[in-house]
């Protein structure tokens, strides 16, 4: 710990050390100024030795069912007419780091962001204002979890948020992360990312390998990058998750692998769907969603930022 006394729960975590983390996400802006999010699906449980004198090795177990790409509805109404929506679009979120904090934040935001009204005196209808609201909500959640000993500062997740900005009439993105130089309390900082066209940005434990492989091998095939990184980075793996903006609103898209068994080739948020038309096996319903081929080759390459 960098600061503050440990609670009893923090002491327990210190002696019985484990974390449950999410590992690799990315965002890119194409030459047409559109934004795309992608990630792996792996959640890793990392159990470290109980003391520096222990002969135990770090144990890593995982499940490839983590939901890391999320579409969150934002509904902001006009203060002069509460029935008129002035921001009716979904924003996109992706996460890398401790999954408990991330999922609690998503549940919190899914309730807060769908019921907002613009303050006529101090409010501003912009992506900057929405992103700052998300940052403040994250900071409140993170401080509560840290002060109660649920999480350590270094485990707090990095978060990418992307959405339409009515003020600039452009899709924008920000990365939220903990300020590790702050010694007295949890501070969440915000950074603009992928501001220029043909740029890509990664977060998570697989970032270094992703950058290396993307530059050397996969510059025009970002959706295959997850598979390549997973061969050298154990905390990265599972089905690729992918999302894009349809006009001004973010939507999550499934993926389809044309090289595998046709009855198990559709994936959505880490879940395998069955049949020539994607469905849960025997459910009686088709999954009405778009599916992107994993082997798609784009006609451009992005600069890593």
């Amino acid at each position: 710990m960098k600061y503050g006394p440990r609670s009893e729960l923090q002491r327990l975590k210190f002696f019985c050390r484990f974390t449950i983390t999410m590992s690799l996400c990315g965002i890119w802006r194409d030459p047409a100024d559109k934004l795309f999010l992608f990630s792996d699906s792996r959640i890793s449980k990392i159990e470290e030795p109980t003391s520096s004198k222990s002969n135990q090795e770090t144990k890593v177990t995982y499940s490839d069912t983590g939901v890391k790409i999320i579409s969150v509805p934002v509904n902001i109404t006009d203060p002069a007419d509460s029935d008129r929506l002035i921001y009716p679009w979904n924003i996109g979120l992706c996460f890398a780091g401790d999954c408990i904090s991330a999922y609690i934040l998503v549940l919190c935001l899914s309730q807060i962001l769908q019921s907002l009204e613009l303050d006529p005196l101090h409010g501003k209808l912009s992506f900057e204002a929405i992103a700052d609201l998300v940052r403040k909500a994250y900071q409140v959640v993170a401080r509560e979890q840290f002060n109660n000993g649920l999480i350590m500062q270094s485990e707090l997740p990095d978060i990418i948020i992307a959405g339409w900005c009515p003020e600039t009439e452009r899709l924008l993105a920000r990365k939220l992360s903990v300020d590790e130089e702050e010694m007295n309390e949890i501070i969440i900082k915000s950074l603009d990312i992928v501001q220029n066209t043909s740029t890509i940005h990664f977060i998570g434990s697989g970032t270094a390998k992703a950058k290396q492989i993307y530059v050397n091998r996969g510059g025009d095939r970002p959706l295959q990058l997850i598979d390549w990184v997973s061969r050298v980075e154990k905390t990265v793996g599972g089905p690729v998750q992918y999302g894009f903006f349809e006009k001004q609103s973010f939507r999550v898209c499934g993926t389809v692998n044309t090289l595998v068994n046709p009855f198990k080739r559709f994936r959505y948020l880490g879940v395998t769907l069955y049949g020539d038309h994607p469905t849960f096996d025997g459910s009686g319903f088709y999954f009405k969603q778009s599916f992107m081929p994993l082997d798609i080759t784009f006609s451009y390459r992005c600069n890593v930022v």
Side-chain angles (χ1 to χ4, degrees):
M1 299 294 293
K2 282 190 172 183
Y3 49 83
R6 286 193 181 96
S7 67
E8 193 61 34
L9 180 56
Q10 284 172 321
R11 292 191 186 96
L12 180 63
K13 282 192 72 179
F14 179 74
F15 289 111
C16 306
R17 190 81 186 99
F18 70 89
T19 54
I20 302 177
T21 66
M22 300 181 289
S23 44
L24 180 62
C25 297
I27 181 171
W28 83 82
R29 187 185 293 275
D30 74 2
D33 212 32
K34 296 178 181 179
L35 292 177
F36 305 84
L37 295 174
F38 70 103
S39 78
D40 69 339
S41 299
R42 182 156 296 177
I43 297 178
S44 300
K45 180 180 179 182
I46 304 173
E47 298 179 77
E48 299 177 0
T50 53
S51 73
S52 59
K53 298 180 181 180
S54 173
N55 294 323
Q56 297 175 341
E57 296 182 354
T58 298
K59 181 181 178 182
V60 179
T61 54
Y62 60 83
S63 172
D64 292 335
T65 56
V67 177
K68 304 184 185 183
I69 303 289
I70 311 235
S71 178
V72 180
V74 181
N75 293 319
I76 304 176
T77 58
D78 186 341
D81 182 359
S82 60
D83 292 327
R84 189 173 78 89
L85 284 175
I86 54 178
Y87 195 101
W89 302 296
N90 292 13
I91 61 173
L93 295 172
C94 67
F95 311 85
D98 181 82
C99 66
I100 296 176
S101 299
Y103 287 155
I104 290 175
L105 178 63
V106 167
L107 292 172
C108 178
L109 291 176
S110 68
Q111 300 303 307
I112 293 174
L113 295 179
Q114 65 180 325
S115 302
L116 297 175
E117 184 172 281
L118 189 68
D119 184 336
L121 297 179
H122 306 103
K124 182 172 68 170
L125 190 62
S126 67
F127 175 77
E128 177 187 8
I130 295 171
D132 194 52
L133 174 60
V134 174
R135 183 195 65 80
K136 289 176 179 177
Y138 181 19
Q139 189 165 271
V140 169
V141 170
R143 286 179 177 177
E144 182 75 14
Q145 292 178 342
F146 175 79
N147 291 337
N148 289 333
L150 183 65
I151 194 170
M152 296 177 69
Q153 184 198 47
S154 60
E155 297 167 359
L156 288 168
D158 287 346
I159 298 173
I160 290 176
I161 171 176
W164 175 252
C165 181
E167 186 178 57
T168 62
E169 295 187 337
R170 190 183 186 217
L171 292 169
L172 298 176
R174 285 195 172 185
K175 179 172 75 172
L176 307 180
S177 59
V178 65
D179 185 351
E180 295 182 353
E181 295 183 358
E182 176 58 49
M183 302 299 291
N184 298 313
E185 60 181 339
I186 296 292
I187 298 294
I188 301 300
K189 58 185 181 180
S190 177
L191 176 69
D192 291 317
I193 55 174
V194 291
Q195 299 179 72
N196 299 323
T197 56
S198 300
T199 53
I200 190 168
H201 185 83
F202 302 102
I203 59 173
S205 61
T207 292
K209 288 295 182 184
K211 287 180 177 180
Q212 179 185 0
I213 294 173
Y214 181 83
V215 170
N216 295 333
R217 181 179 180 183
D220 56 353
R221 288 172 288 174
L223 296 186
Q224 288 185 283
L225 188 64
I226 299 296
D227 179 55
W228 294 333
V229 175
S230 69
R231 299 175 190 180
V232 293
E233 177 62 54
K234 190 173 182 179
T235 60
V236 176
V240 176
Q241 298 180 31
Y242 171 75
F244 65 99
F245 283 86
E246 191 170 61
K247 296 182 179 179
Q248 291 94 356
S249 202
F250 185 77
R251 61 178 297 186
V252 179
C253 178
T255 59
V256 55
N257 189 341
T258 58
L259 301 178
V260 301
N261 183 333
F263 290 96
K264 292 186 179 182
R265 63 193 184 118
F266 293 97
R267 297 291 182 91
Y268 185 75
L269 295 177
V271 176
T272 300
L273 303 171
Y274 295 84
D276 291 327
H277 295 84
T279 181
F280 288 105
D281 195 19
S283 68
F285 294 93
Y286 290 134
F287 198 68
K288 189 178 179 182
Q289 186 57 273
S290 300
F291 287 83
M292 176 67 74
L294 287 177
D295 58 352
I296 186 172
T297 299
F298 294 93
S299 60
Y300 56 87
R301 297 174 65 94
C302 293
N303 296 315
V304 177
V305 294

